Amino acid sequence: MTNKIVVGYNGTSSSDNAAMWAAHEADVRKMPLRVVTCFEMPMLSSEAALGLGGGAAFEAVSEAANTNAERIKAEIGAAFPTLTFTTVVAADAAATALLDDVGPDDLVVVGSSSHEGAAAFWLGSTPRHLVRHSPCPVAVVRGGAGRDAPDRIVVGVDGSAASHRALHWAGDEADRYDVELVVVHGWSYPYEATDTSSLQARELTEIDADCTLNRAVETARERCGVTVTGCLVEGSPVSAVLETARDGDMIVVGSRGRGGIRSRLFGSTANAILDNATVPVVVIRAEPPADESDLAASESTLAHTR
């Protein structure tokens, strides 16, 4: 059960899509919506830092943020007249402000970042930061998604605790909109099958993958009242989900939520899907790992040794 939905808005077309998507989701769920518009103090020259123009710069960015907040407030109010929502203007980074007073049962929504792939790694990305650190599901809205219901919910599974939680969330969402739930599992055999033993190993890998998919489908059918379809795809988890999804769908994937060195250096399925999907993606974080503080300490150690 979602208690509230929080969406980031900065006046861009991407955040327009995110705000309207979040408003529609909140309206369907009959949950309150909080629209957060953030601004940060611009970089100032040494003279401005001493007070010569610093106040004017602050007023300018603050006024622009308030103007954006009023505009989206009017648009949401006109489109969803019965929706309960508030607008907040915060002098803080979006990645920080959006997680303020957010709990496990909430939903955070943002537009897609302009930074993808390596650029997101080096330059930073609000969606990626939220996926790593949010205690609740994060929806990243890309493309022209708005106030319409999704055609299907496509969820990737791999048998992990994270994908199990994603499956439950996706099933509830499919029930909410009364649309088909498509459960996808990607599998691959990493070697060339050249003899009898390797062919048998490949067949066993496929059988194991099929069992993983069938267990997920069975779980979903026990939980949901909508049509549940299983889709076994030979390929990586990323390509399996992206090839199955089509315009109008919503993608749901799990994430281990580990903000540690391994995740940042080698990437993740969730990040790759966020980079390449053309439809809204909801990332469901698994329970925070017990050693998360140890990972944070390791990151700090690595940073100081560079």
Side-chain angles (χ1 to χ4, degrees):
M1 178 66 71
T2 299
N3 292 328
K4 65 178 177 294
I5 297 177
V6 181
V7 60
Y9 182 75
N10 63 5
T12 63
S13 59
S14 175
S15 67
D16 277 330
N17 290 333
M20 299 310 291
W21 187 94
H24 178 263
E25 191 76 13
D27 193 52
V28 169
R29 293 169 178 254
K30 305 304 178 186
M31 292 294 166
L33 173 69
R34 184 169 75 202
V35 184
V36 180
T37 298
C38 301
F39 67 94
E40 295 183 75
M41 192 64 185
M43 296 295 292
L44 301 174
S45 65
S46 58
E47 291 82 1
L50 291 173
L52 304 177
F58 182 87
E59 289 180 6
V61 294
S62 174
E63 182 179 350
N66 279 283
T67 299
N68 283 335
E70 287 300 317
R71 182 166 70 84
I72 196 62
K73 178 179 180 181
E75 291 182 8
I76 292 176
F80 303 95
T82 63
L83 177 64
T84 299
F85 72 99
T86 57
T87 56
V88 177
V89 177
D92 206 344
T96 300
L98 288 172
L99 296 184
D100 184 41
D101 191 32
V102 168
D105 295 325
D106 297 329
L107 174 65
V108 172
V109 183
V110 288
S112 59
S113 172
S114 59
H115 298 143
E116 301 172 5
F121 179 96
W122 294 114
L123 301 177
S125 161
T126 296
R128 288 194 178 200
H129 177 93
L130 293 172
V131 167
R132 287 200 306 270
H133 299 287
S134 174
C136 67
V138 175
V140 180
V141 179
R142 185 188 295 273
R147 66 196 70 174
D148 296 328
D151 294 335
R152 306 181 304 169
I153 308 297
V154 177
V155 57
V157 297
D158 61 7
S160 67
S163 77
H164 189 68
R165 287 167 62 86
L167 181 66
H168 282 190
W169 197 97
D172 291 345
E173 190 78 347
D175 270 345
R176 186 174 293 112
Y177 284 107
D178 192 25
V179 297
E180 180 185 4
L181 175 66
V182 182
V183 183
V184 183
H185 179 53
W187 72 280
S188 61
Y189 183 67
Y191 309 104
E192 184 179 358
T194 58
D195 54 27
T196 302
S197 60
S198 61
L199 285 171
Q200 290 176 337
R202 187 184 186 283
E203 290 176 359
L204 288 173
T205 301
E206 183 176 6
I207 290 171
D208 182 66
D210 191 51
C211 289
T212 297
L213 175 66
N214 287 336
R215 285 193 296 268
V217 169
E218 183 178 351
T219 296
R221 286 175 177 163
E222 290 175 353
R223 184 182 182 91
C224 308
V226 299
T227 299
V228 178
T229 303
C231 188
L232 187 66
V233 179
E234 184 174 4
S236 71
V238 174
S239 62
V241 170
L242 293 177
E243 290 171 9
T244 302
R246 61 196 186 201
D247 288 347
D249 290 346
M250 178 192 301
I251 293 174
V252 182
V253 292
S255 171
R256 290 170 178 80
R258 297 171 70 117
I261 301 166
R262 181 180 180 87
S263 173
R264 294 240 289 269
L265 291 181
F266 300 106
S268 69
T269 297
N271 281 343
I273 290 174
L274 287 176
D275 282 353
N276 295 283
T278 58
V279 298
V281 178
V282 181
V283 181
I284 312 298
R285 178 172 176 168
E287 294 292 346
D291 62 342
E292 193 166 50
S293 60
D294 295 335
L295 285 169
S298 297
E299 289 183 278
S300 176
T301 300
L302 178 62
H304 282 88
T305 58
R306 288 175 176 169

